[in-house]
Amino acid sequence: MHIRRIHRRTPIESWTRPRQRARTRTMAAALLSAAALLASACSSSGSASTSATVATSAGAAELAALPRTPPSALAPYYDQKLTWRECGVPGFQCATMRAPLDYARPVAGDVRLAVARKKATGKAEPPGSLLVNPGGPGGSAVDYLQQYAGIGYPAGVRARYDMVAVDPRGVGRSEPVQCLNGRQMDVFTETDMTPDDQKETDRLVGEYRTFAEACGTHSAQLLRHVSTVDSARDMDILRAVLGDPRLNYVGASYGTLLGATYAGLFPQRVGRMVLDGAMDPSLSARRLNLEQTAGFETAFQSFARDCARRADCPLGAQGSTPTRIADTLRTFFQKMDAHPAPTGDADGRKLTESLATTGVIAAMYDKAEWEQLREALHAVIKDNDGAGLLVLSDSYYERDADGRYSNLMSANAAVNCLDLPSAFAGPEQVEKALPEFEKASPVFGPNLAWASLNCTYWPVRAAGEPHRIKAKGAAPIVVVGTTRDPATPYPWAQSLARQLSSGRLLTYVGDGHTAYGRGSACIDSAIDTYLLNDTPPAPGKRCS
């Protein structure tokens, strides 16, 4: 999948300032999509604890619930006491929690997880904690809590709950997966993702191999134990350590897979759970990548229609058809492939086709970024200045001005490649699939098809497989889907809501990735009412 990013973090809303919103969305929402550039699975032994949780039921793989009472070997983790301390951000406290590196062998050692909280601002006794996760995989939940959720969620929610976040294992402050350094990541992100000949294909494959080998070298032991199942089990330890009988949770993008997995493993411990921008766990990596490709095409068509109504549209005259605008964008990408544009970057980077494509994709996550995208495209098409698109691309990858990258992309690949077998076995399969991907998206199809190759060379064999999540016996779970969501297409939310025995679908008819806090009073009211009063939205509720 081309996630990341989504952040990769979670819904970026009207509750934040526009520039902060753009930064957060590309860090979070995009996370899921970064998976395309880095995502799926491959080659040696995986975590036994992960595969053991997937059972076969009536001919279909289904996530099996764990015993209600944790095994005695896990008692030291469930009984631990957190030591809270100030952590440099006013109003927030931080702690370190221990979890077993390998749930199948707790004696094998610990992984230390970073936890943060902001106490409820109201005077009434809180009903418990509200755990938040912005997505990814690879997005820092602690950063998300401190930079947005803990100060930007509705006042009523913050008054009622202790707001809590934990960086999943391998992410951010929780013993992060390490792969390439900054300069190596620059080379990786600039690599041509639409090879025109065997030489370019070999170079792309070489970069995927280099990335995978670096992860295997620097994080060999951790790579086998960063699955979504592992992180969901960590969440149950945190729930117990916080003293909460049930887990209250809001997850966005990949965070919905994490939340749904928790519900499947611990259905009796589900409290008030919101899954916004839902993923479908029953799909293979290839299906996920292909359907996400179609999702980005849907989002681009919406952007193109909006652009065509404006006099400043850089991709065509006012009144141009979306097809004409798409043709212009493809021509622009081809130009960047042949002659990358200068950017004025301190490290001498130019705007390659790959970076330009990532910049455009980054803006598809949030309609509020369309103006910035138009300005960036105008600058490079009219003036050969690629700086604006490079800024969008860097925000997607979480690259700072000093050339340092967060571990977003490393963790993204590590989790995705452990969760599912690779979409393709080699470049020959990608070439055969190109027509299907190009049909799904004439604009992004080739790029996203080749991006689906990233887990083919992963040093650790996938421990998971596609499966359904029923979570029989769980309290009502609100699944939110946006009809023109690029990174988590609306059919995924429909599917997850049907799979969950207590799923309740809430639909946002609109653009962008995720829905909560994006300006729809209808969506926000429905979710806030559920979180505060335990009253889920009516079946089939739709908002715009």
Side-chain angles (χ1 to χ4, degrees):
M1 294 171 295
H2 196 283
I3 163 7
R4 141 189 230 318
R5 246 182 65 68
I6 217 194
H7 316 296
R8 298 158 184 272
R9 294 65 224 264
T10 228
I12 266 354
E13 357 191 307
S14 53
W15 301 321
T16 59
R17 293 170 293 183
R19 185 56 58 191
Q20 181 183 357
R21 177 175 64 224
R23 167 65 176 164
T24 308
R25 170 135 331 259
T26 337
M27 286 188 341
L31 288 190
L32 178 62
S33 128
L37 297 183
L38 305 169
S40 268
C42 291
S43 119
S44 152
S45 66
S47 165
S49 62
T50 300
S51 57
T53 61
V54 179
T56 300
S57 174
E62 183 178 308
L63 188 66
L66 292 172
R68 293 194 185 192
T69 302
S72 58
L74 297 181
Y77 299 101
Y78 275 85
D79 295 339
Q80 68 185 293
K81 304 296 182 183
L82 296 184
T83 300
W84 295 100
R85 62 186 184 279
E86 298 301 317
C87 47
V89 181
F92 292 86
Q93 296 175 310
C94 293
T96 300
M97 185 185 84
R98 295 182 301 108
L101 176 66
D102 184 350
Y103 275 94
R105 296 179 60 249
V107 297
D110 298 344
V111 59
R112 297 184 177 275
L113 307 177
V115 182
R117 75 176 179 186
K118 187 176 185 184
K119 298 287 286 183
T121 59
K123 296 181 179 179
E125 184 70 20
S129 309
L130 180 63
L131 187 66
V132 295
N133 183 279
S140 169
V142 170
D143 285 353
Y144 175 70
L145 177 71
Q146 294 177 341
Q147 297 172 12
Y148 168 65
I151 56 177
Y153 262 38
V157 174
R158 290 183 285 115
R160 187 76 181 279
Y161 290 96
D162 291 342
M163 302 287 291
V164 178
V166 55
D167 277 356
R169 52 177 63 205
V171 174
R173 299 168 176 82
S174 293
E175 300 193 19
V177 171
Q178 302 290 348
C179 298
L180 303 177
N181 62 33
R183 289 305 300 164
Q184 291 170 326
M185 276 297 296
D186 282 346
V187 173
F188 181 83
T189 59
E190 293 167 13
T191 300
D192 190 350
M193 294 292 297
T194 57
D196 300 314
D197 53 35
Q198 190 59 49
K199 182 178 180 180
E200 291 185 352
T201 299
D202 290 344
R203 182 186 175 193
L204 177 59
V205 169
E207 285 301 318
Y208 280 138
R209 289 186 182 277
T210 296
F211 187 95
E213 290 168 1
C215 296
T217 297
H218 298 302
S219 300
Q221 187 179 32
L222 188 59
L223 287 187
R224 290 174 171 78
H225 306 289
V226 293
S227 73
T228 298
V229 167
D230 288 323
S231 291
R233 299 189 70 171
D234 295 341
M235 286 163 53
D236 195 56
I237 291 177
L238 178 59
R239 173 205 58 77
V241 169
L242 293 172
D244 294 337
R246 292 174 178 259
L247 180 79
N248 302 307
Y249 178 82
V250 177
S253 196
Y254 163 78
T256 66
L257 179 62
L258 190 56
T261 300
Y262 180 90
L265 296 174
F266 308 101
Q268 304 301 328
R269 296 179 197 153
V270 172
R272 302 171 194 182
M273 179 172 284
V274 178
L275 308 178
D276 185 14
M279 292 188 65
D280 182 353
S282 71
L283 300 180
S284 67
R286 176 168 173 160
R287 279 284 304 282
L288 285 167
N289 292 341
L290 184 61
E291 293 187 12
Q292 193 178 64
T293 298
F296 278 104
E297 180 65 20
T298 296
F300 176 75
Q301 289 292 315
S302 189
F303 165 78
R305 289 191 294 271
D306 179 80
C307 193
R309 292 193 291 265
R310 301 175 182 274
D312 66 344
C313 180
L315 298 175
Q318 196 166 12
S320 295
T321 64
T323 299
R324 181 69 175 272
I325 287 176
D327 289 342
T328 303
L329 184 60
R330 285 200 303 273
T331 299
F332 163 68
F333 286 153
Q334 292 167 0
K335 180 181 178 182
M336 293 301 98
D337 188 22
H339 304 288
T343 64
D345 177 67
D347 294 316
R349 293 179 301 154
K350 291 187 175 182
L351 185 71
T352 63
E353 179 189 14
S354 180
L355 292 173
T357 303
T358 300
V360 173
I361 283 175
M364 293 298 101
Y365 287 91
D366 191 343
K367 190 174 182 178
E369 295 180 21
W370 290 0
E371 180 181 1
Q372 183 179 353
L373 176 59
R374 290 196 306 272
E375 293 173 353
L377 285 170
H378 184 278
V380 67
I381 292 173
K382 304 299 182 183
D383 302 323
N384 199 35
D385 178 3
L389 275 183
L390 185 63
V391 167
L392 283 168
S393 179
D394 283 352
S395 69
Y396 180 94
Y397 288 120
E398 293 194 358
R399 182 193 193 271
D400 66 22
D402 295 323
R404 295 186 297 261
Y405 290 76
S406 75
N407 94 307
L408 167 69
M409 302 306 291
S410 300
N412 187 277
V415 175
N416 283 317
C417 294
L418 191 59
D419 275 357
L420 288 175
S422 181
F424 296 112
E428 297 80 12
Q429 289 190 1
V430 177
E431 290 171 352
K432 291 180 180 179
L434 281 174
E436 190 176 17
F437 276 76
E438 289 173 343
K439 181 179 179 181
S441 175
V443 177
F444 304 118
N447 183 290
L448 298 185
W450 285 104
S452 305
L453 191 64
N454 66 300
C455 286
T456 304
Y457 310 102
W458 203 244
V460 176
R461 181 186 305 158
E465 62 177 302
H467 57 273
R468 299 176 63 80
I469 299 178
K470 190 172 183 179
K472 185 177 180 179
I477 298 173
V478 177
V479 180
V480 189
T482 298
T483 56
R484 295 187 293 277
D485 190 317
T488 52
Y490 180 62
W492 293 1
Q494 293 175 302
S495 177
L496 181 60
R498 287 193 299 266
Q499 291 174 43
L500 293 167
S501 62
S502 60
R504 188 69 61 86
L505 180 64
L506 174 62
T507 298
Y508 175 54
V509 181
D511 297 292
H513 183 43
T514 72
Y516 186 39
R518 295 180 54 84
S520 170
C522 174
I523 289 287
D524 295 349
S525 175
I527 293 176
D528 291 346
T529 298
Y530 171 59
L531 291 176
L532 296 175
N533 302 327
D534 202 16
T535 304
K541 185 175 180 62
R542 295 172 70 87
C543 298
S544 59

